Short mmCIF file of all heavy atoms in Angstrom, two decimals:
data_model
loop_
_atom_site.label_atom_id
_atom_site.label_comp_id
_atom_site.label_asym_id
_atom_site.label_seq_id
_atom_site.Cartn_x
_atom_site.Cartn_y
_atom_site.Cartn_z
N VAL U 205 -8.90 18.80 11.83
CA VAL U 205 -8.43 17.48 11.41
C VAL U 205 -8.22 17.38 9.90
O VAL U 205 -7.28 16.71 9.44
CB VAL U 205 -9.39 16.36 11.89
CG1 VAL U 205 -9.33 16.21 13.39
CG2 VAL U 205 -10.80 16.58 11.40
N TYR U 206 -9.07 18.02 9.12
CA TYR U 206 -8.89 17.92 7.68
C TYR U 206 -7.59 18.57 7.23
O TYR U 206 -6.97 18.13 6.24
CB TYR U 206 -10.09 18.54 6.95
CG TYR U 206 -11.31 17.65 6.95
CD1 TYR U 206 -12.43 17.95 7.72
CD2 TYR U 206 -11.33 16.49 6.18
CE1 TYR U 206 -13.55 17.13 7.73
CE2 TYR U 206 -12.45 15.65 6.18
CZ TYR U 206 -13.55 15.98 6.95
OH TYR U 206 -14.64 15.15 6.95
N THR U 207 -7.16 19.58 7.94
CA THR U 207 -5.86 20.19 7.64
C THR U 207 -4.74 19.20 7.91
O THR U 207 -3.78 19.09 7.13
CB THR U 207 -5.66 21.46 8.49
OG1 THR U 207 -6.68 22.41 8.17
CG2 THR U 207 -4.29 22.08 8.23
N VAL U 208 -4.86 18.45 9.01
CA VAL U 208 -3.86 17.44 9.34
C VAL U 208 -3.88 16.31 8.31
O VAL U 208 -2.82 15.88 7.84
CB VAL U 208 -4.10 16.88 10.75
CG1 VAL U 208 -3.03 15.84 11.09
CG2 VAL U 208 -4.10 17.99 11.78
N TYR U 209 -5.08 15.85 7.97
CA TYR U 209 -5.19 14.80 6.96
C TYR U 209 -4.48 15.21 5.68
O TYR U 209 -3.74 14.44 5.07
CB TYR U 209 -6.65 14.49 6.63
CG TYR U 209 -7.49 13.93 7.76
CD1 TYR U 209 -8.87 13.82 7.61
CD2 TYR U 209 -6.92 13.49 8.95
CE1 TYR U 209 -9.66 13.31 8.62
CE2 TYR U 209 -7.71 12.99 9.97
CZ TYR U 209 -9.08 12.90 9.80
OH TYR U 209 -9.87 12.40 10.80
N LYS U 210 -4.75 16.44 5.24
CA LYS U 210 -4.17 16.92 3.98
C LYS U 210 -2.65 17.04 4.08
O LYS U 210 -1.92 16.68 3.14
CB LYS U 210 -4.77 18.25 3.57
CG LYS U 210 -4.26 18.77 2.22
CD LYS U 210 -4.90 20.08 1.84
CE LYS U 210 -4.47 20.49 0.43
NZ LYS U 210 -3.00 20.59 0.29
N THR U 211 -2.17 17.54 5.21
CA THR U 211 -0.72 17.71 5.38
C THR U 211 -0.01 16.36 5.31
O THR U 211 1.02 16.22 4.63
CB THR U 211 -0.42 18.39 6.72
OG1 THR U 211 -1.02 19.69 6.73
CG2 THR U 211 1.08 18.53 6.93
N ILE U 212 -0.55 15.36 5.99
CA ILE U 212 0.06 14.03 5.96
C ILE U 212 -0.03 13.43 4.56
O ILE U 212 0.95 12.85 4.05
CB ILE U 212 -0.61 13.11 7.00
CG1 ILE U 212 -0.31 13.61 8.42
CG2 ILE U 212 -0.12 11.67 6.83
CD1 ILE U 212 -1.09 12.89 9.50
N THR U 213 -1.18 13.57 3.94
CA THR U 213 -1.36 13.04 2.58
C THR U 213 -0.39 13.69 1.61
O THR U 213 0.22 13.02 0.77
CB THR U 213 -2.81 13.25 2.11
OG1 THR U 213 -3.70 12.62 3.03
CG2 THR U 213 -3.02 12.66 0.72
N ASP U 214 -0.23 15.00 1.72
CA ASP U 214 0.71 15.71 0.84
C ASP U 214 2.14 15.22 1.05
O ASP U 214 2.91 15.07 0.08
CB ASP U 214 0.64 17.22 1.09
CG ASP U 214 -0.65 17.85 0.57
OD1 ASP U 214 -1.39 17.17 -0.18
OD2 ASP U 214 -0.92 19.01 0.93
N LEU U 215 2.51 14.96 2.29
CA LEU U 215 3.85 14.45 2.59
C LEU U 215 4.07 13.09 1.92
O LEU U 215 5.11 12.85 1.29
CB LEU U 215 4.02 14.32 4.11
CG LEU U 215 5.30 13.62 4.59
CD1 LEU U 215 6.53 14.42 4.18
CD2 LEU U 215 5.26 13.43 6.11
N VAL U 216 3.07 12.22 2.05
CA VAL U 216 3.17 10.89 1.43
C VAL U 216 3.26 11.01 -0.09
O VAL U 216 4.05 10.31 -0.74
CB VAL U 216 1.95 10.04 1.84
CG1 VAL U 216 1.90 8.75 1.04
CG2 VAL U 216 1.99 9.73 3.34
N GLU U 217 2.47 11.90 -0.64
CA GLU U 217 2.47 12.08 -2.09
C GLU U 217 3.84 12.53 -2.59
O GLU U 217 4.35 12.04 -3.61
CB GLU U 217 1.40 13.10 -2.48
CG GLU U 217 1.21 13.24 -3.98
CD GLU U 217 -0.01 14.08 -4.32
OE1 GLU U 217 -0.86 14.31 -3.44
OE2 GLU U 217 -0.11 14.50 -5.49
N VAL U 218 4.46 13.44 -1.86
CA VAL U 218 5.80 13.91 -2.24
C VAL U 218 6.80 12.76 -2.22
O VAL U 218 7.64 12.61 -3.13
CB VAL U 218 6.26 15.04 -1.30
CG1 VAL U 218 7.76 15.31 -1.45
CG2 VAL U 218 5.47 16.32 -1.57
N GLU U 219 6.72 11.90 -1.20
CA GLU U 219 7.66 10.80 -1.10
C GLU U 219 7.46 9.78 -2.21
O GLU U 219 8.44 9.24 -2.76
CB GLU U 219 7.53 10.12 0.27
CG GLU U 219 7.96 10.99 1.43
CD GLU U 219 9.39 11.49 1.28
OE1 GLU U 219 10.28 10.66 0.99
OE2 GLU U 219 9.62 12.70 1.45
N LEU U 220 6.21 9.51 -2.59
CA LEU U 220 5.98 8.59 -3.70
C LEU U 220 6.43 9.19 -5.02
O LEU U 220 6.95 8.49 -5.90
CB LEU U 220 4.50 8.21 -3.77
CG LEU U 220 4.10 6.96 -3.00
CD1 LEU U 220 2.60 6.72 -3.09
CD2 LEU U 220 4.84 5.73 -3.51
N GLU U 221 6.26 10.50 -5.16
CA GLU U 221 6.75 11.16 -6.38
C GLU U 221 8.27 11.08 -6.48
O GLU U 221 8.83 10.93 -7.56
CB GLU U 221 6.29 12.62 -6.39
CG GLU U 221 4.81 12.79 -6.70
CD GLU U 221 4.33 14.22 -6.55
OE1 GLU U 221 5.10 15.04 -6.00
OE2 GLU U 221 3.21 14.51 -6.99
N LYS U 222 8.96 11.14 -5.34
CA LYS U 222 10.42 10.98 -5.34
C LYS U 222 10.81 9.58 -5.82
O LYS U 222 11.76 9.41 -6.59
CB LYS U 222 10.98 11.22 -3.94
CG LYS U 222 10.94 12.66 -3.47
CD LYS U 222 11.50 12.78 -2.05
CE LYS U 222 11.43 14.20 -1.53
NZ LYS U 222 11.91 14.29 -0.12
N LEU U 223 10.07 8.57 -5.35
CA LEU U 223 10.36 7.20 -5.79
C LEU U 223 10.06 7.04 -7.28
O LEU U 223 10.80 6.35 -7.99
CB LEU U 223 9.54 6.21 -4.96
CG LEU U 223 9.91 6.09 -3.48
CD1 LEU U 223 8.93 5.16 -2.77
CD2 LEU U 223 11.34 5.60 -3.30
N GLU U 224 9.00 7.67 -7.73
CA GLU U 224 8.67 7.62 -9.15
C GLU U 224 9.79 8.25 -9.98
O GLU U 224 10.21 7.70 -11.01
CB GLU U 224 7.35 8.34 -9.41
CG GLU U 224 6.91 8.32 -10.87
CD GLU U 224 5.59 9.03 -11.07
OE1 GLU U 224 5.44 10.16 -10.56
OE2 GLU U 224 4.71 8.48 -11.74
#
Side-chain angles (χ1 to χ4, degrees):
V205 291
Y206 283 108
T207 299
V208 181
Y209 296 170
K210 183 179 186 303
T211 299
I212 294 172
T213 302
D214 289 348
L215 172 64
V216 171
E217 187 170 345
V218 166
E219 293 303 312
L220 269 177
E221 287 173 348
K222 289 179 182 177
L223 292 175
E224 181 179 48

